[in-house]
Amino acid sequence: MDIGDYTDFCVGINHAFAVGSMFRGAENALQPNCRHLLVAYHGRASSVVVSKTPIRRPSGQILTHSDTGDKVPTFSPSRRLDIELELGAFICKASPIGQLAALGETSQYIFGYVLMNDWSACDIQVWEYVPLGPFNAKNFSTTISLWIVLLDALEPFSVSGIPNETELLPYLRETPATGQTNQHDIQLMVTLIAPEGAELSLHVVP
């Protein structure tokens, strides 16, 4: 497979809330657009690697606590390296520039899925992501599994999506013709093994 491009999505309201809580607190976690469209940023494909490829802890500007409250960064290896258990979708059909892909045709574009660990240097990201979004904190590596699970293989696990109380614009509304069971119930688990003598500090965000 040739990865020529890459986009990272908040795939649901729970994901958007978890990410927003990390940077803005639970009270201001959700932006107004989160219930109306797919929130995403255009990433990079150059550092997507397959499982078991060694990953180097990135360095960058991070903020440390100051007695005066001044926001003065230091250059340091990341102290809050984050793993993200996600799914990556391989797109197998070209979409001509300027042409809208209809909602009912999405299954024709998805070849299959891989397990994905979208590494994040959270302390670097907190400082650099305003106002344009992720940069060095998110571009040092994304790990994907060696095997692709075809979309057809997931049909037995199709379920209805999370209800949305917000009325979507017409181009995003699903109809019986497009199908309401376009989500998949997939159970995933992570096992972390710390090196002997190392301290492992965990903060789990569902």
Side-chain angles (χ1 to χ4, degrees), residues 60-77:
Q61 291 191 19
I62 65 173
L63 290 178
T64 56
H65 293 291
S66 169
D67 294 335
T68 61
D70 294 336
K71 292 187 175 181
V72 179
T74 60
F75 184 77
S76 167

Side-chain angles (χ1 to χ4, degrees), residues 6 8-9 15 84-88 114-118 188:
Y6 170 60
D8 191 352
F9 289 89
H15 188 181
E84 297 180 5
L85 177 59
E86 300 179 344
L87 292 178
V114 289
L115 287 176
M116 189 171 84
N117 177 4
D118 197 22
L188 302 175

Side-chain angles (χ1 to χ4, degrees), residues 47-67:
S47 53
V48 178
V49 297
V50 296
S51 181
K52 296 188 178 181
T53 300
I55 305 301
R56 181 184 293 272
R57 181 182 296 270
S59 295
Q61 291 191 19
I62 65 173
L63 290 178
T64 56
H65 293 291
S66 169
D67 294 335

Side-chain angles (χ1 to χ4, degrees), residues 4 13 22 120 149 195 201-202 206:
I13 200 70
M22 289 176 59
S120 299
V149 179
S201 176
L202 296 180

